[in-house]
Amino acid sequence: MGVALLLTLGLLAQSLGLSWGIPGLQPSTLYPWRKGPAPGRVRRAWVIPPISVSENHKRLPYPLVQIKSDKQQLGSVIYSIQGPGVDEEPRDVFSIDKFTGRVFLNAMLDREKTDRFRLKAFALDLGGSTLEDPTDLEIVVVDQNDNRPAFLQDVFTGHVLEGAPPGTFVTKAEATDADDPETDNAALRFSILDQGGSELFTIDEHSGEIRTVQVGLDREVVAVYNLTLQVADMSGDGLTATASAIISLDDINDNAPEFTRNEFFMETVEAASGVDVGRLEVEDRDLPGSPNWVARFSILEGDPDGQFTIRTDPRTNEGVLSVVKPLDYESRQQYELRVSVQNEAPLHAAAPRAQRSQARVSVWVQDTNEAPVFPENPLRTSLAEGAPPGTSVTTFSARDPDTQQLQRISYSKDYDPEDWLQVDGATGRIQTQRVLSPASPFLKDGWYRAIILALDDASPPSTATGTLSIEILEVNDHAPLLAAPSPSSLCSEPDQGPGLLLGATDEDLPPHGAPFHFQLSPKVPELGRNWSLSQINVSHARLRPRHQVPEGLHRLSLLLRDSGQPPQQREQPLNVTVCRCGPEGSCLPGAAALRAGGAGVSLGALVIVLASAVVLLLLVLLAALRARFGRPSRDKSLLHGLQDDLRDNILNYDEQGGGEEDQDSYDISQLRHPAELRAHSRALGRPPLRRDAPFGHVPPQPHRALPTNPADIANFISDGLEAADSDPSVPPYDTALIYDYEGDGSVAGTLSSILSSLVDEDQDYDYLQDWGPRFARLADMYGHP
């Protein structure tokens, strides 16, 4: 088995008279460097060495190689190839003549996309049987310089301190080339095409590092350098590309700030603080806004009291001189200051010293009208509470700092909420004009505050404000008062019960109040023999009997004293109820003790209370007797209260029902003929049902005997009305105010005829005489004369 190869240099082989795959070709002719074959048959493998082809080859199709199997005669073998570039992406790049075994290149190659192709070659007989084992066919794409180098950035930036020594690293330029890095096609070289005339920077041609090459970098001369860079392949002789490098010089403090002048002149007014006097101009060539440029000012001489200060304007870097303490023209009219300036950052060691780092500042003080000044402000004083009108408080006077001018000062009140004080306008003397109430809402923690004004007579005038704080001193003017104990009873036995707890209060404030001192009145010596007082705390004491005392009301006298200076005391009565107590110390029920005792209640007060109760009781009894004995007189008249004017009382009407023909309304015949009504009821039997009643039946009515005495007819009528009103089976249509429709043909007619005598003059009211004295008045008013 053998293999014959046709390489891309097939034309050269033909010129040499070589014919691959032709019968009779000797191996020594194809490979003259090999030794001749030894006697006998040698097995040969089907091996195809890598085939090289240049990228971008344009003569297509281009024969690459011919493969041939010696297993069959020419024309009886079918060849094929498979793999990327044939039946895999990218397809149709290579093809093979299946009968001759010639492999062709059908498309231009790009090494930067695919640098080699690995194919499989097959040899089959005409029947489809494999003649050779599949073998590898490797096609290597040979690089060409078809890609320019490219910088990674269009612009490279770098920073370096001004004054940096030669060889200082600045930045690094980087570039790439898509060609084969193993060839000169990707061998890059860097260079600087232009750097603005001066050769201050250099670049390493292999690494691209940019460094300083000379001294003399000065930011104040040139702050930024713009370099043009170039990169070329083929070791600098091939394709090229360009980029920029911007190199900024970082500032160092190599320039000291200097005043623009040696001396500055300024003016300011007196008695003012926080005002600007003037500006100090400086120059600095360093980077504006940086610590190397920012100026700091100091006052070296001429301001021992610290009345001036200098701050830096961040925008202009000027020094602003201002007054922090008020100036006084009367004490000093001019100030000579010596000031210095330096940077916030320390000056570089190689920097030259400034010529004008110090300057003199002359400040002239102008005289103005100054406001009066209170020597002590606020002024504090004290005054006893309850001070009478006209009491002197203090003299709140001010002085005028303008000694060069003759001015007068007047005084007035600006704030005196209680209108308590009076101010002398010429001297500032203050006194009270009435008594200040201790309960004043403007008295805060014992202090009263007022504001006094001092005004000079200059043009324009100036005013000073002074605060006067008056402490109201507490005076012990109230004696302590015994509080009523609750309960006010104690046990008759000394060892029973908790005793009686006594407390005291005082209207005075500390220290004129508690602790209080409790004492049995020394005027009654027997109190000390029967009773004992023990102090519990500063405001309470406990009262106990020394031995068994009788049950009942005991009147004691206590002496209370406070702790003020001088102390106040008060003798007060104390009524104590003594009772018989049980084991728990509480009064037993039914004990003989009287529980009417109380602290501070005198006998006279008890008498007044009892007398008032008796008088009130008598008044109640008189009212009851009058009501009892006055009832018969009211019964004599049925229409009591209508005696003045009956017409003015019977006024209100609702809808009127029918007369006797209206069976749904109240039967008024009971008021006219009670006897006839009873007889009629017996004849008719059971009374008809009320159709307007809420129930379906009429409750049975008890038999009522007719009155024999006409005077009792009023009671009869009242009882009938009460029975009708309480009847639950009918609505309240039978009241004296509400009427249903009475119907036609009523003997009594409509009730409106009472008020319509001019229309109904034929009505006969004489029958009302038979109804008793209560209806006699109606008969007199409406009957025949």
Side-chain angles (χ1 to χ4, degrees), residues 303-511:
D303 186 25
D305 299 328
Q307 295 176 295
F308 298 93
T309 187
I310 305 177
R311 71 177 186 277
T312 303
D313 187 333
R315 185 178 59 86
T316 63
N317 210 30
E318 296 174 327
V320 182
L321 180 66
S322 59
V323 178
V324 294
K325 294 181 180 180
L327 305 178
D328 187 9
Y329 173 83
E330 285 71 25
S331 60
R332 187 171 180 180
Q333 292 82 31
Q334 183 181 3
Y335 290 85
E336 295 290 339
L337 308 178
R338 187 166 65 91
V339 298
S340 65
V341 62
Q342 59 184 6
N343 288 127
E344 186 178 88
L347 191 65
H348 196 271
R353 296 300 171 183
Q355 299 294 325
R356 290 193 297 268
S357 62
Q358 296 183 8
R360 188 178 67 177
V361 181
S362 298
V363 180
W364 294 88
V365 182
Q366 298 177 348
D367 187 23
T368 59
N369 180 32
E370 301 176 71
V373 177
F374 288 100
E376 185 179 357
N377 192 10
L379 177 62
R380 292 179 173 85
T381 186
S382 60
L383 196 65
E385 67 171 341
T391 302
S392 177
V393 179
T394 186
T395 299
F396 201 9
S397 59
R399 64 175 181 85
D400 193 343
D402 293 317
T403 58
Q404 305 294 334
Q405 305 175 20
L406 297 178
Q407 298 176 353
R408 290 183 301 176
I409 300 178
S410 59
Y411 302 90
S412 62
K413 293 189 304 181
D414 181 63
Y415 179 74
D416 181 16
E418 285 286 354
D419 196 21
W420 178 44
L421 305 175
Q422 183 178 8
V423 181
D424 190 312
T427 63
R429 182 175 177 270
I430 301 175
Q431 63 182 8
T432 63
Q433 58 183 357
R434 60 186 186 85
V435 178
L436 180 64
S437 173
S440 171
F442 301 101
L443 197 60
K444 305 296 184 182
D445 298 328
W447 288 85
Y448 183 84
R449 188 175 70 94
I451 297 178
I452 309 301
L453 300 180
L455 178 68
D456 61 21
D457 59 352
S459 180
S462 296
T463 305
T465 301
T467 301
L468 176 62
S469 297
I470 305 174
E471 182 182 12
I472 307 302
L473 300 177
E474 181 72 20
V475 177
N476 191 18
D477 53 352
H478 295 88
L481 181 64
L482 184 66
S486 178
S488 61
S489 59
L490 51 77
C491 299
S492 58
E493 297 292 337
D495 55 348
Q496 288 185 341
L500 188 61
L501 183 64
L502 303 178
T505 59
D506 198 324
E507 295 184 16
D508 293 320
L509 298 176

Side-chain angles (χ1 to χ4, degrees), residues 487-493 496-501 531 543-545 549 554 556 576-581 585 587 593:
S488 61
S489 59
L490 51 77
C491 299
S492 58
E493 297 292 337
Q496 288 185 341
L500 188 61
L501 183 64
W531 306 89
L543 176 67
R544 287 181 179 274
V549 297
H554 294 259
L556 310 182
V576 179
T577 300
V578 178
C579 63
R580 179 164 48 87
C581 296
C587 292

Side-chain angles (χ1 to χ4, degrees), residues 57-313:
H57 193 78
K58 296 181 180 180
R59 290 183 297 171
L60 301 176
Y62 180 69
L64 296 179
V65 68
Q66 182 180 11
I67 59 176
K68 186 176 181 181
S69 173
D70 56 0
K71 293 293 184 70
Q72 295 289 347
Q73 294 296 327
L74 182 64
S76 61
V77 180
I78 298 175
Y79 300 97
S80 65
I81 55 176
Q82 296 179 358
V86 182
D87 56 353
E88 298 178 15
E89 294 295 335
R91 297 177 180 271
D92 301 328
V93 177
F94 304 101
S95 63
I96 187 172
D97 189 325
K98 63 180 180 178
F99 296 110
T100 63
R102 293 171 64 87
V103 179
F104 295 93
L105 173 66
N106 300 320
M108 287 193 301
L109 300 178
D110 187 354
R111 191 205 65 84
E112 286 70 41
K113 293 182 179 180
T114 307
D115 59 349
R116 64 187 60 233
F117 295 87
R118 291 182 173 85
L119 308 178
K120 288 287 186 179
F122 301 90
L124 305 175
D125 60 12
L126 297 178
S129 300
T130 302
L131 297 178
E132 303 281 356
D133 293 333
T135 187
D136 293 332
L137 177 61
E138 184 177 11
I139 301 175
V140 178
V141 182
V142 179
D143 183 51
Q144 287 186 341
N145 191 17
D146 58 345
N147 291 278
R148 289 181 177 276
F151 281 102
L152 297 184
Q153 300 173 212
D154 293 334
V155 178
F156 296 91
T157 59
H159 293 268
V160 64
L161 288 175
E162 60 175 334
T168 302
F169 174 79
V170 179
T171 187
K172 181 179 180 180
E174 295 179 302
T176 59
D177 196 316
D179 291 325
D180 189 357
E182 302 298 330
T183 65
D184 284 346
N185 296 334
L188 305 181
R189 298 294 182 268
F190 297 92
S191 61
I192 299 177
L193 297 180
D194 181 36
Q195 54 180 312
S198 58
E199 302 292 334
L200 297 177
F201 303 94
T202 185
I203 187 170
D204 188 295
E205 64 175 354
H206 296 283
S207 64
E209 291 183 353
I210 300 176
R211 297 177 179 270
T212 61
V213 69
Q214 293 184 14
V215 297
L217 293 176
D218 190 353
R219 191 204 65 83
E220 287 73 39
V221 177
V222 179
V224 178
Y225 289 88
N226 195 341
L227 280 61
T228 301
L229 308 181
Q230 176 181 280
V231 61
D233 57 13
M234 300 296 293
S235 298
D237 297 329
L239 302 176
T240 63
T242 59
S244 298
I246 299 177
I247 301 175
S248 302
L249 300 187
D250 294 335
D251 185 54
I252 62 173
N253 193 12
D254 56 348
N255 293 278
E258 296 184 355
F259 288 104
T260 57
R261 300 197 302 268
N262 292 327
E263 188 172 2
F264 296 88
F265 298 93
M266 302 177 184
E267 291 182 350
T268 186
V269 296
E270 66 169 338
S273 61
V275 297
D276 295 339
V277 180
R279 289 177 171 262
L280 307 175
E281 298 178 0
V282 294
E283 292 179 347
D284 195 318
R285 299 177 59 197
D286 290 319
L287 181 64
S290 67
N292 302 324
W293 175 80
V294 176
R296 291 290 180 263
F297 300 87
S298 302
I299 300 177
L300 303 179
E301 296 178 357
D303 186 25
D305 299 328
Q307 295 176 295
F308 298 93
T309 187
I310 305 177
R311 71 177 186 277
T312 303
D313 187 333

